[in-house]
């Protein structure tokens, strides 16, 4: 009965979405306040109904209701409770329901917390959001019903993919979808502004907190996925340029550009049409990611569906939303006034270059991701575009952006004085060069690109701190005065400092763990000793242990350094009998300086000389934890900016515009 209630709730939510997509829009066009305000009730109603449906599906997983096909295919009675709950969104149907839940959550959020938004714009925004809800609710009800029944029910389920039975993967999809789907409300704001024919500083102020929220969640989702890949897959990498990784990274890149472009629109009334275009393209890339992982184009642990019918439905939604919004943009964008003017050397120009680099970088990733799929579809010829291509194209493109990020905050609006900027940053530049030379000496050489990247990371970190110190006049006035200035500084300024410094910190991890990683893959038997990065690692053997729904071969590694015990590592090779698959559970000794990382594979018993031996992969990854530390700083910086009082209490006053374009009678 409960699954039927969930299914019925989805049908009612679709009806409300259709109403919301029409009535508020008509109200905005005709100037009828009650019709416009109906969007509040329908958006909250949608959220309530989809929440009921999601709770009904989660209950089916929690109690192991094997009359529901989704539970049978993605759960098991012996599975730990956390992963039973995570199984709710571990399938195509369940993840799509989570997608729609977040979609309605953002719509209801605008209706509840957007009291400072003009009624006509809010009505149009919520109507556009309802168009998206209508598309995905109909997709779910027609092709992907999460409540399909199975009679007679089996005695037990097939279990969730063992690779997904992990804390990182339990949290990764919700955060990733909060980012993906969060950009839908920014898209809705952009289309609503085009329908209204007006973009101004007030619009940019209203959009910024929602953009920040989506960007923060997408950052968290990507980082959780990277962290999971690092410790779970057993090869010690945190990014593989997998197509499904790329389709989450592209909206992040354009979303970063959108954040900076919206600042210019708010502060200087410029970049208006460009900001609108970025909002459209960012969500379009989110939809593209949804199409890629649900259309059957890819076979991946990240991919959900292989049904071409579903792929065609999403392709239709993709063409309708992207094609319609871009057509509207082409019609309306030329009518928008240009806004403030600025000199080639100014903060506006710096942010424009920032946007162009991020845009070109996104295009590069898009080309490398889709070209193999396109070539296979057209010529039936399979090629692989992987890490070598992206590292050779994307990474060098980002280095000028890092240089610019250090300079940008020192530039003035409208027109900047380069000699004055150099006067402020010359000490930072000299200190960065000295620190890089010291690192070169300590590392005894190494890749030139790695040292150049380290130079830019140090530059960005020190320049960011220098700019913040100048804001509070640190060491120029008494410390109590600097503290007072810091407390009165807008939180968005603290957020920018934290985020830029966080990117520099993460770069240390990216560079160190890539350029100076040490790896050994060897066959080992009890008593074998491996030396790596100054550590002596003794392989003591393997024992069989049992988990709640798996068996594991657990290795024991005694780690010493300079003859002194350091730690003991216990890598595992797990076998899940219900799913009939195995996973690698790495063991990691983590410090801020670097990680000692170990994983074991199947014994090489086929070879008589190696009978009883195991394959041991052991790595030392310098500075890798700076990736997670810097990413946390990025998210915290976004949170500080979003909590800025100016974004919480309202936007600049907006002059009223006529609800219709009908000319008054003479």
């Amino acid at each position: 009965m409960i699954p039927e209630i969930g299914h019925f709730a989805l049908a009612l939510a679709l009806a409300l979405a259709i109403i919301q997509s029409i009535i508020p829009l008509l109200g905005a066009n005709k100037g009828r306040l009650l019709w416009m305000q109906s969007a509040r009730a329908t958006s909250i109603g949608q959220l309530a109904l989809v929440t009921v449906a999601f709770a009904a599906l989660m209950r089916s997983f929690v109690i192991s209701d094997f009359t529901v096909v989704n539970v049978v295919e993605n759960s098991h009675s012996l599975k730990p409770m956390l992963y039973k709950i995570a199984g709710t969104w571990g399938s195509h149907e369940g993840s799509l329901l989570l997608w729609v839940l977040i979609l309605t959550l953002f719509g209801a959020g605008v209706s509840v917390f957007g009291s400072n938004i003009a009624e006509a714009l809010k009505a149009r925004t919520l109507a556009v959001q309802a168009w998206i809800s209508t598309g995905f609710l109909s997709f779910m009800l027609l092709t992907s019903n999460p409540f399909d029944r199975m009679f007679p029910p089996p005695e037990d389920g097939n279990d969730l993919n063992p690779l997904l039975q992990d804390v990182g993967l339990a949290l990764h999809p919700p955060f990733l979808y909060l980012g993906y789907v969060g950009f839908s409300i920014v898209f809705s704001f952009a289309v609503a502004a085009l329908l209204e024919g007006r973009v101004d500083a007030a619009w940019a102020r209203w959009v910024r907190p929602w953009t920040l929220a989506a960007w923060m969640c997408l950052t968290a989702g990507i980082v959780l996925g990277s962290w999971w890949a690092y410790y779970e897959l057993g090869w010690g990498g945190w990014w593989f340029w997998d197509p499904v990784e790329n389709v989450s990274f592209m909206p992040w890149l354009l979303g970063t550009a959108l954040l900076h472009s919206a600042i210019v629109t708010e502060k200087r009334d410029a970049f208006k049409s460009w900001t609108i275009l970025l909002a459209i393209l960012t969500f379009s890339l989110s939809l593209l990611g949804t199409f890629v992982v649900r259309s059957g184009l890819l076979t991946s642990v990240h991919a959900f569906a292989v049904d071409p019918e579903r792929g065609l439905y999403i392709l239709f939604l993709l063409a309708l939303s992207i094609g319609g919004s871009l057509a509207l943009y082409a019609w309306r964008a030329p009518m928008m006034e240009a806004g403030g003017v600025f000199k080639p050397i100014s903060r506006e120009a710096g942010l424009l270059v920032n946007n162009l680099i991020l845009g070109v970088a996104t295009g590069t990733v898009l080309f490398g991701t889709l070209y193999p799929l396109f070539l296979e579809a057209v010529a039936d010829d399979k090629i692989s575009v992987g890490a070598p291509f992206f590292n050779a194209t994307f990474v060098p493109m980002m280095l000028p952006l890092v240089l610019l990020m250090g300079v940008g905050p020192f530039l003035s609006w409208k027109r900047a004085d380069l000699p004055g900027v150099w006067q402020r940053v010359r000490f930072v530049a000299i200190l960065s060069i000295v620190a890089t030379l010291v690192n070169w000496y300590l590392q005894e050489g190494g890749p030139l690109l790695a040292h150049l990247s380290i130079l830019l990371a140090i530059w960005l970190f020190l320049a960011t701190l220098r700019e913040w110190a100048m804001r509070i006049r640190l060491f120029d006035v008494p410390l109590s005065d600097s503290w007072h200035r810091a407390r009165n500084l807008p939180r968005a300024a603290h957020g920018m400092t934290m985020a830029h410094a966080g990117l520099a910190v993460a770069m240390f991890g990216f560079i160190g763990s890539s350029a100076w990683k040490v790896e050994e893959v060897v066959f080992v038997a009890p008593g074998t000793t491996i030396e790596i990065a100054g550590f002596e690692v003794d392989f003591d053997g393997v024992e069989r242990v049992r988990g709640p729904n798996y068996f594991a071969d657990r290795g024991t590694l005694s780690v010493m350094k300079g003859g002194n015990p350091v730690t003991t590592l216990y890598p595992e090779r797990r076998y899940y009998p219900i799913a009939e698959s195995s996973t690698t559970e790495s063991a990691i000794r983590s410090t801020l300086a670097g990680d000692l990382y170990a994983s074991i594979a199947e014994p090489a018993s086929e070879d008589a000389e190696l009978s009883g031996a195991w394959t041991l992969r052991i790595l030392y990854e310098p500075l890798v934890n700076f990736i997670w530390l810097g990413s946390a700083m990025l998210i915290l910086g976004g949170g500080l900016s979003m909590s800025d009082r100016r974004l919480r209490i309202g936007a600049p006053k907006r002059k009223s515009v006529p609800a219709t374009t009908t000319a008054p009678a003479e």
Side-chain angles (χ1 to χ4, degrees):
M1 183 64 182
I2 298 298
E4 281 70 29
I5 292 175
H7 191 197
F8 184 60
L10 288 179
L12 290 178
L14 175 59
L16 280 182
I18 294 172
I19 293 171
Q20 184 180 321
S21 67
I22 298 171
I23 302 301
L25 197 61
L26 290 175
N29 290 337
K30 294 179 178 296
R32 298 194 176 185
L33 183 61
L34 190 60
W35 291 15
M36 289 188 278
Q37 292 178 339
S38 69
R40 177 184 173 90
T42 52
S43 60
I44 294 173
Q46 271 192 79
L47 174 61
L49 290 168
V50 176
T51 300
V52 168
F54 190 80
L57 184 61
M58 183 178 290
R59 175 188 177 275
S60 298
F61 274 90
V62 168
I63 68 171
S64 297
D65 181 359
F66 296 121
T67 66
V68 178
V69 175
N70 201 357
V71 179
V72 174
E73 294 178 348
N74 298 282
S75 191
H76 189 272
S77 59
L78 294 179
K79 192 167 65 172
M81 181 56 68
L82 172 63
Y83 305 128
K84 286 185 177 182
I85 294 172
T88 309
W89 53 81
S91 64
H92 163 71
E93 293 82 3
S95 65
L96 188 61
L97 182 54
L98 177 63
W99 214 101
V100 175
L101 176 65
I102 296 171
L103 188 66
T104 57
L105 177 66
F106 273 88
V110 168
S111 68
V112 172
F113 299 108
S115 58
N116 59 329
I117 303 175
E119 287 293 343
L121 180 65
K122 182 161 66 173
R124 290 187 174 100
T125 300
L126 293 176
V128 175
Q129 190 78 354
W131 296 349
I132 305 170
S133 296
T134 300
F136 279 91
L137 282 166
S138 61
F139 172 58
M140 185 161 43
L141 289 169
L142 294 175
T143 71
S144 309
N145 179 16
F147 299 104
D148 279 342
R149 290 285 201 169
M150 174 181 287
F151 293 106
E155 292 185 5
D156 220 323
N158 300 334
D159 208 356
L160 182 67
N161 184 339
L163 284 174
L164 305 182
Q165 296 185 40
D166 179 87
V167 175
L169 256 289
L171 299 175
H172 166 65
F175 277 103
L176 198 65
Y177 289 176
L178 281 166
Y180 265 166
V181 186
F183 284 118
S184 68
I185 200 66
V186 183
F187 170 86
S188 297
F189 267 110
V191 174
L194 289 173
L195 291 172
E196 191 175 272
R198 190 174 188 210
V199 177
D200 55 16
W203 178 88
R205 178 73 64 83
W206 290 322
V207 164
R208 274 184 63 196
W210 301 102
T211 308
L212 276 166
W215 181 87
M216 286 167 52
C217 292
L218 186 56
T219 304
I222 292 172
V223 171
L224 282 169
S226 181
W227 177 57
W228 166 81
Y230 173 67
Y231 71 78
E232 177 68 23
L233 297 184
W235 58 285
W238 39 266
W239 192 260
F240 192 63
W241 293 106
D242 179 274
V244 182
E245 292 174 332
N246 293 348
V247 296
S248 65
F249 187 45
M250 289 185 290
W252 186 89
L253 288 171
L254 276 195
T256 304
L258 173 61
L259 278 175
H260 293 84
S261 180
I263 292 173
V264 182
T265 302
E266 178 188 343
K267 301 287 187 183
R268 297 282 300 127
D269 202 31
F271 294 9
K272 289 185 284 190
S273 61
W274 175 244
T275 302
I276 291 287
L277 181 61
L278 283 175
I280 292 172
L281 293 180
T282 301
F283 182 60
S284 298
L285 288 174
S286 296
L287 290 177
L288 178 65
T290 302
F291 170 69
V292 166
V293 300
R294 299 176 191 277
S295 62
L297 286 176
L298 298 174
T299 301
S300 165
V301 68
H302 305 84
F304 287 110
V306 292
D307 184 357
E309 180 185 345
R310 292 170 173 173
L312 286 174
Y313 198 106
I314 298 179
L315 187 61
F316 170 74
L317 291 178
L318 196 70
L320 190 64
S321 57
I322 297 176
S325 58
L326 289 178
L328 180 63
Y329 175 81
W331 174 41
R332 288 287 201 175
M335 304 176 189
M336 297 178 186
E337 60 272 21
V341 296
F342 53 90
K343 295 291 184 180
I345 305 299
S346 63
R347 184 172 293 193
E348 293 96 323
L351 290 170
L352 178 60
V353 175
N354 161 294
N355 274 216
L356 291 176
I357 293 175
L358 288 170
V360 173
T362 305
T364 302
V365 177
L366 181 65
F367 174 79
T369 303
L370 296 187
Y371 179 70
L373 303 176
F374 176 77
L375 187 65
E376 183 179 353
V378 173
D380 198 24
D381 190 9
K382 292 188 177 182
I383 66 168
S384 175
V385 176
F389 167 80
F390 291 106
N391 290 338
T393 56
F394 179 85
V395 173
M397 201 180 303
M398 289 294 100
L399 298 183
L401 179 62
V402 177
L403 177 65
L404 183 63
M405 286 177 64
V407 175
F410 293 94
L411 298 174
S412 304
W413 295 107
K414 295 181 67 175
R415 181 176 61 189
D417 174 27
L418 277 184
V421 172
W422 171 247
Q423 186 75 17
R424 298 184 185 98
V425 301
R426 60 182 179 179
F427 177 72
V428 169
I430 294 169
L431 190 59
S432 301
I433 293 171
V434 171
T436 304
L437 292 174
V438 171
N439 178 70
W440 187 303
Y441 174 77
L442 294 176
Q443 296 295 336
E444 299 179 352
L448 179 61
L449 183 62
H451 288 289
L452 176 60
S453 302
I454 285 287
L455 169 63
L456 290 172
I458 296 171
W459 152 260
L460 176 58
F461 186 78
L462 294 180
T464 300
L465 294 185
R466 169 65 173 155
E467 192 272 340
W468 181 80
M470 287 181 60
R471 282 176 178 266
I472 64 172
R473 300 191 65 188
L474 189 64
F475 308 127
D476 292 334
V477 297
L479 195 58
S480 59
D481 289 351
S482 294
W483 172 250
H484 181 72
R485 286 173 176 272
R487 291 185 60 185
N488 291 333
L489 204 63
R491 290 186 184 178
H494 291 301
M496 181 195 73
T497 300
M498 181 67 73
H500 284 195
L503 179 60
V505 170
M507 283 182 65
F508 293 134
F510 299 151
I511 300 160
S513 63
S514 300
W516 292 291
K517 177 168 66 175
V518 183
E519 180 176 6
E520 296 283 348
V521 180
V522 294
F523 292 117
V524 292
T528 304
T529 299
I530 306 98
E531 295 186 1
I532 183 170
F535 294 95
E536 302 91 39
V537 182
D538 295 330
F539 182 70
D540 298 330
V542 174
E543 62 175 335
R544 175 61 63 94
V545 297
R546 182 169 185 169
N549 60 337
Y550 63 84
F551 298 96
D553 293 312
R554 177 182 294 169
T556 303
L557 302 173
S558 300
V559 181
M560 307 191 60
K561 190 168 188 177
N564 298 315
V566 175
T567 188
T568 303
L569 301 177
Y570 299 99
E572 294 183 0
R573 183 72 177 174
R574 293 181 179 177
Y575 176 70
Y576 292 78
I578 303 300
E580 297 183 348
S581 63
S582 300
T583 65
T584 298
E585 299 294 321
S586 57
I588 306 173
R589 187 244 184 188
S590 291
T591 66
L592 203 57
D595 279 3
L596 186 65
Y597 181 109
S599 64
I600 59 172
E602 296 292 340
S605 56
E606 294 82 0
D607 192 322
E609 294 181 1
L610 298 172
S611 181
W614 288 76
T615 303
L616 175 67
R617 180 190 297 268
I618 188 161
L619 309 94
Y620 183 72
E621 302 213 32
L623 307 180
V624 68
N625 289 301
F626 279 75
I627 298 175
W628 326 125
L629 176 61
S631 299
M633 292 171 67
L634 277 168
I635 297 166
L636 179 59
L640 282 172
S641 296
M642 195 169 67
S643 68
D644 193 301
R645 182 173 179 270
R646 295 169 298 176
L647 299 183
R648 287 185 288 115
I649 66 172
K653 292 295 184 182
R654 192 181 199 187
K655 296 178 181 178
S656 60
V657 295
T660 65
T661 57
T662 304
E666 293 292 340

